[in-house]
Structures are given as C-alpha cells and as structure tokens.
C-alpha cells in the first residue's frame, strides 16, 4: 500500500468502514494492528484473505448499507468458517470519519518513508521484467538508464529516470538503498558497481553476468584500490540460485527474491521490524 493509492481511494469513496485486527490469539493470517478499508465497490488493503476477510467485507458493507457506524467481530479461525489457522481474532469495524482518515493517511505515509529503495540500472530485457516484479513488492523502485528509447519500453506506471551519469544516482541514493546493475555497457556496470560497493549501508548490490564477468570486475576493482571485503558483498551473477536458467523472466524472478531476502536480513541485523509486517499496520483506528 502507498499513500498515493490511499489518497485516491479515500477521495473516491465517501462511505468507508475501517476494519482492524485489534486482538490476535494463536495463529492468524496477519498480525494485530493490520487494517483494511472497505467501501461498497472497492477495497484497500487486506487482513489476510480467506474466509475471515470475506466475512469482514460482507459485514462492513452491511454496516454501510444500514447506516451503522461501529461493531466488533470475534472470529475463531477454525473449521466453523472453513479456515484452519487455529487462532482467534477480534476485528473492529468503524466508519472512517475525518479523524480516522487522517490517522490512516498519516500511518501509511510513515510506512512509505520506511519502505526501502531499489534502483534498477538498465531497462533491457531483464531490467524491464524485474521492474514489473518489484512494482508488486513492498519497495520503492526506480529504473535508471542512459537510453530514453529503452525507458520508453517499460510497462506503464513504472518509475524511471534518464541519467547521463548513473553512478551519480548511487551517490545520491537514500540510506539503505539496494542496487541492481544490468546496463548495456560493461564499463558502465563496473562504474556503478564500484560506487554501490562504497555504500556500506546498502543491503544488496547485484550485477547481471557470468563467472567470467565477475573475475574481470574483481581484477579491475582491486586494481582501482577496492577492498576485498567490499567485493565479497557483490552478487554476480544475480538470480543464479544454481539453476543456470538464462531466460530473462527467470533471472528477474530469482533476483527479486534475492533482493527481498537481503533487505530482510539487513533489517533484522539493524533491529528493524521486517517490511512485510509493517504494511497495513495501524493501531488504534
């Protein structure tokens, strides 16, 4: 979820019920504090799907239709509703008045600010697929390329920028950014990777290529005074996972998984709550 999408949802729907998991005991699809917003013809967010979510959506829409403002549901997640989590949840359903709308927007904007940034350098075959995958994940993503004609081939809605000096984008990137490098030029790849490896705050630096390309980069990087420990942080080739599959879509899917794992591990080391747990959390609505 993003604050931009939420703003559009709130503007388009005058009658909304805010549905929040206020209590979670045992196993459940989502954690306490997770919320979704339900309008008569639209939904924003999720409390985990399945039978529980369908029940809550139906109940919320009945509240809207009947003009009722508040209710609570105590739901056992067992065979009686066709869900086998085994826990129990209490769901608060409240009409989203101005105060609740402000609270939801404020919390979502705070989540946006904590969402990690991923830069994809290169809008070629792999880069375009990777961008589409990352657009579905809880990251902010931007594609960087020197070639406008390649950027024009990106799917609609994908954030992108033409940059004459992509390595400068690395230097200006927010703290904790991840960098995926797959341009049309090996020399440019090397420049970008060198800048990225200088960023010790980056959880992931990856480059498309082969073992031969890694050996060439390693030789060049060390000759330029690069540190061996920094070199060891470079994922090259990306998306390998022992498969040896060179299809762009497969490489992109596996690279996306690598990126999310590395981001999650860095957050765990830094003592942060993993990003998936932060999405849709709004206590006290």
């Amino acid at each position: 979820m993003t604050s931009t999408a939420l703003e559009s949802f709130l503007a388009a729907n005058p009658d909304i019920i805010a549905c929040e998991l206020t209590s979670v005991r045992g196993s459940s699809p989502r954690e306490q504090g997770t919320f979704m917003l339900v309008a008569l013809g639209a939904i924003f967010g999720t409390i985990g799907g399945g039978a529980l979510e369908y029940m809550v959506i139906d109940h919320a829409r009945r509240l809207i239709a009947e003009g009722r403002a508040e209710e609570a549901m105590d739901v056992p997640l067992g065979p009686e509703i066709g869900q086998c989590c085994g826990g129990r949840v209490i769901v608060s359903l409240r009409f989203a008045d101005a105060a609740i709308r402000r609270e939801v927007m404020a919390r979502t904007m705070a989540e946006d600010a904590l969402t990690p940034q991923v830069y994809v350098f290169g809008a070629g075959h792999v880069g375009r697929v990777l961008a589409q995958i990352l657009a579905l994940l809880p990251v902010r993503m931007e594609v960087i390329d020197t070639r406008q004609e390649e950027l024009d081939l990106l799917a609609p809605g994908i954030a992108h920028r033409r940059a004459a000096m992509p390595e400068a984008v690395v230097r200006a990137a927010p703290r904790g950014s991840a960098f995926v490098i797959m341009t049309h030029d090996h020399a440019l790849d090397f420049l970008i990777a060198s800048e990225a490896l200088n960023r010790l705050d980056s959880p992931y630096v990856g480059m498309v290529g082969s073992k031969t390309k890694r050996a060439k980069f390693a030789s060049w990087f060390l000759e330029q005074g690069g540190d061996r420990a920094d070199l060891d942080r470079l994922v090259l080739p990306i998306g390998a996972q022992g498969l040896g599959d060179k299809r762009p879509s497969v490489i992109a899917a596996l690279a996306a998984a690598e990126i999310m794992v590395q981001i999650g591990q860095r957050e765990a080391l830094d003592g942060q709550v993993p990003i998936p747990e932060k999405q849709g959390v709004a206590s006290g609505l």
Side-chain angles (χ1 to χ4, degrees):
M1 297 192 292
T2 67
S3 55
T4 301
L6 175 58
E7 187 174 24
S8 297
F9 180 87
L10 294 175
N13 295 282
D15 296 323
I16 296 171
I17 298 293
C19 309
E20 181 189 8
L21 298 181
T22 56
S23 174
V24 174
R25 287 173 286 169
S27 177
S28 75
R30 296 296 301 272
E31 66 280 355
Q32 183 173 324
T34 301
F35 75 91
M36 71 176 178
L37 305 178
V38 179
L40 286 177
I43 300 168
F44 184 89
T46 175
I47 56 171
L52 170 65
E53 183 158 304
Y54 282 110
M55 288 174 60
V56 172
I57 291 170
D58 286 345
H59 204 80
R61 286 175 173 162
R62 281 200 300 272
L63 291 182
I64 294 174
E66 296 169 6
R68 289 189 285 156
E70 186 173 345
E71 199 157 309
M73 299 174 65
D74 187 348
V75 186
L77 304 178
E80 54 265 53
I81 70 164
Q83 199 155 332
C84 57
C85 295
R88 193 179 194 99
V89 300
I90 295 177
V91 186
S92 167
L93 295 90
R94 299 180 62 191
F95 180 78
D97 58 14
I100 289 179
R101 287 169 179 250
R102 286 194 299 270
E103 175 70 10
V104 168
M105 179 59 69
R107 291 182 179 275
T108 303
M109 290 176 67
E111 291 169 5
D112 284 354
L114 292 173
T115 301
Q117 178 77 49
V118 179
Y119 290 94
V120 177
F121 291 91
H125 295 297
V126 180
R128 291 197 294 271
V129 179
L130 179 59
Q132 288 181 269
I133 296 172
L134 290 174
L136 301 173
L137 298 175
V139 298
R140 288 175 291 166
M141 183 273 306
E142 185 175 22
V143 180
I144 309 295
D145 207 310
T146 60
R147 306 162 297 169
Q148 187 61 49
E149 64 272 18
E150 293 298 318
L151 292 171
D152 290 342
L153 297 176
L154 289 166
I158 298 294
H160 61 274
R161 189 191 336 168
R162 183 182 179 186
M165 298 177 62
E167 65 273 20
V169 174
V170 178
R171 292 193 291 271
R175 180 172 176 79
S177 295
F179 306 100
V180 197
I181 305 156
M182 51 186 75
T183 79
H184 62 295
D185 185 327
H186 282 197
L188 183 57
D189 281 353
F190 286 12
L191 286 174
I192 297 169
S194 180
E195 288 286 350
L197 291 174
N198 285 331
R199 296 282 305 258
L200 299 183
D201 60 296
S202 176
Y204 181 90
V205 180
M207 188 191 301
V208 75
S210 62
K211 292 181 179 179
T212 300
K213 186 176 181 180
R214 183 181 185 91
K216 289 182 177 180
F217 175 78
S219 176
W220 175 85
F221 183 72
L222 296 174
E223 286 177 0
Q224 298 299 311
D227 188 272
R228 173 69 67 176
D230 290 341
L231 179 61
D232 291 342
R233 294 169 45 228
L234 177 65
V235 179
L236 198 177
I238 62 169
Q241 303 291 316
L243 295 181
D245 195 317
K246 297 182 179 180
R247 287 174 291 180
S249 57
V250 176
I251 293 172
L254 295 175
E258 287 177 354
I259 294 164
M260 297 308 296
V261 167
Q262 294 294 331
I263 287 174
Q265 289 177 345
R266 174 59 66 88
E267 287 176 336
L269 288 173
D270 291 346
Q272 297 181 27
V273 177
I275 287 293
E277 294 183 12
K278 291 188 290 198
Q279 296 302 308
V281 174
S283 298
L285 295 182

